Amino acid sequence: MPRFDGRSRLPRGRFLCTSDGRNYFVPFALITSLFFLWGFAHSMLDVLNKHFQDTLRLSMTQAAMVQNAVYGGYFLMAIPAGRVIARFGYRSGVLLGLMLFALGALLVVPGSLLDDPQWSFFAFVGSLFVLGCGLTCLETSANPYTTILGDPTQAERRINLAQSLNGLGWILGPLVGLYLFRAGAQSDDVALPYALIGGVVLVVALLFSRASLPEVEEASVGSGVAQAGVMPLRRQRGFVLGIIALFLYVAAQTGINSFFINYTTAPAVGLSHQMATLFLSFGGMGLFLLGRLLGSWLMGYVSAVRLLAACALVATLSMLVLLSTDGCAGLLALLLCYACESIMFPTIFALALRGLGEQTKRAGSYLIMSIVGGAISPTLMALAAERFSLSTAFVIPLVCYAFIAYYALTYRVIGNQRVG
């Protein structure tokens, strides 16, 4: 079987066009707007985690239920979402995701009216689970959809560009959280932003119900490699290892996001809660956004696989620095990881799907299912932090980045060749 070498150098005019001249700029622009919504929703969780620790006197392990609920929704909803998309198309998957997203956000309001703060917290966690199911449908639809809207060898560039808007949502989320989830905030303060989000998402759902999203036949889109539709997905080595790499990437990203404020407000770094949140928003998430924009541009000249390998290796070294030091050096190492993380999710996602042809929709749902890594790592890191030290907990992201580096360094050899 021919091997994909990861190169993405093509005439710029083919970025959103197929070989037969079809241009997908409009549907690409529409679907990209969704990336902002779930980036914003996810980034607010990182502020909520520390907020509930302070206001409800929760341990780090208990507060990790915030992430557990959302990312647990990814695990349970990904396969049903994939089946909906396979039967009714990407547009139906988007609409289902938006409706569940809005429902989960609006359910926060009645939960906030409960008198007992503990029960109010559990109701909030349940609402986040519904919201997470909606985000699952959106990601299961939007991520693979961007990879097929144009020349297939430009898939990594397209999804990285789309994910750049996701990075903007990650910047704004902590800023909103800094204002609304301040020390002493009441349950009504937590419910207000989610009520507004629910209303906005309903409006977006109405717009998408009237929009036209063409259904591109994946099997008809050549990829420069032999189509793998006749080979079961479990036999595709690049896809199988891609699921593991994506699971570990989300585990690393969510773990770092969840404990960024804990780490930077600890005595070793000594930032105030407000300053730590600003560092998370403009420092970490700002580098995350710039990394995605720069990465999308670089992929016009540099192999996506090589760029992924370089970022994963630098992220691994950054975690080693964080584990061996603290203070400003540890903070800088942590911030550097955000720049390195920027291209990882979309690039791994696109590489794992490459060459799968008519199995793209089903494969996409399995990849989204792997986002459950975000439900597991905060709990593991919290347990490690409470038993040993907060710095020790960052061994988990270290292991994750090391595997991603292995995946990238070996992808040019394994591609989507047969397992066994």
Side-chain angles (χ1 to χ4, degrees), residues 51-251:
H51 166 74
F52 286 127
Q53 290 178 43
D54 294 338
T55 58
L56 298 180
R57 304 286 188 242
L58 299 179
S59 67
M60 285 187 286
T61 304
Q62 291 171 322
M65 289 178 65
V66 170
Q67 275 78 14
N68 296 159
V70 174
Y71 291 102
Y74 276 85
F75 182 75
L76 295 175
M77 191 65 189
I79 299 302
R83 290 178 177 173
V84 168
I85 295 166
R87 182 169 180 179
F88 301 106
Y90 287 109
R91 183 169 171 272
S92 297
V94 168
L95 289 175
L96 176 60
L98 288 171
M99 296 306 295
L100 287 173
F101 186 173
L103 176 62
L106 293 174
L107 283 174
V108 173
V109 177
S112 68
L113 300 178
L114 297 175
D115 293 331
D116 189 325
Q118 294 289 341
W119 281 108
S120 182
F121 171 71
F122 289 125
F124 181 74
V125 168
S127 302
L128 287 182
F129 173 77
V130 177
L131 187 149
C133 289
L135 298 182
T136 306
C137 295
L138 291 181
E139 294 214 46
T140 306
S141 304
N143 282 301
Y145 194 51
T146 60
T147 68
I148 61 174
L149 289 175
D151 194 295
T153 56
Q154 293 277 286
E156 294 84 9
R157 287 189 67 193
R158 277 194 303 276
I159 193 171
N160 269 282
L161 182 60
Q163 289 271 1
S164 297
L165 200 59
N166 174 265
L168 180 60
W170 281 94
I171 290 177
L172 295 179
L175 293 178
V176 173
L178 175 63
Y179 174 73
L180 293 170
F181 308 145
R182 57 197 180 278
Q186 303 300 311
S187 58
D188 289 344
D189 298 314
V190 176
L192 175 61
Y194 280 95
L196 294 175
I197 289 172
V200 170
V201 172
L202 284 177
V203 172
V204 174
L206 179 62
L207 294 175
F208 268 89
S209 69
R210 298 176 179 274
S212 176
L213 295 179
E215 286 297 321
V216 182
E217 293 295 332
E218 294 90 343
S220 67
V221 180
S223 62
V225 297
Q227 292 292 341
V230 297
M231 193 189 301
L233 289 175
R234 66 180 182 276
R235 304 288 298 278
Q236 309 275 353
R237 191 177 178 192
F239 171 72
V240 172
L241 293 181
I243 287 182
I244 299 172
L246 206 62
F247 174 92
L248 293 175
Y249 163 74
V250 179

Side-chain angles (χ1 to χ4, degrees), residues 34-45:
L34 299 175
F35 286 73
F36 172 83
L37 290 177
W38 74 67
F40 183 83
H42 278 298
S43 62
M44 286 179 65
L45 301 180

Side-chain angles (χ1 to χ4, degrees), residues 368-389:
I368 295 300
M369 193 175 182
S370 71
I371 292 177
V372 72
I376 296 171
S377 62
T379 301
L380 293 179
M381 289 183 68
L383 291 171
E386 290 169 356
R387 178 156 186 172
F388 302 104
S389 69

Side-chain angles (χ1 to χ4, degrees), residues 9 17 23 39 47 50 89 125 152 161 168 190 221 233 264 267-268 270 287 306 315 323 326 336 340 357 387 413:
R9 298 189 191 119
C17 298
N23 189 303
V47 182
K50 188 67 168 68
V125 168
L161 182 60
L168 180 60
V190 176
V221 180
L233 289 175
T264 53
L287 288 170
R306 289 178 180 174
L323 288 167
D326 53 28
L336 181 58
C340 296
R387 178 156 186 172
V413 177

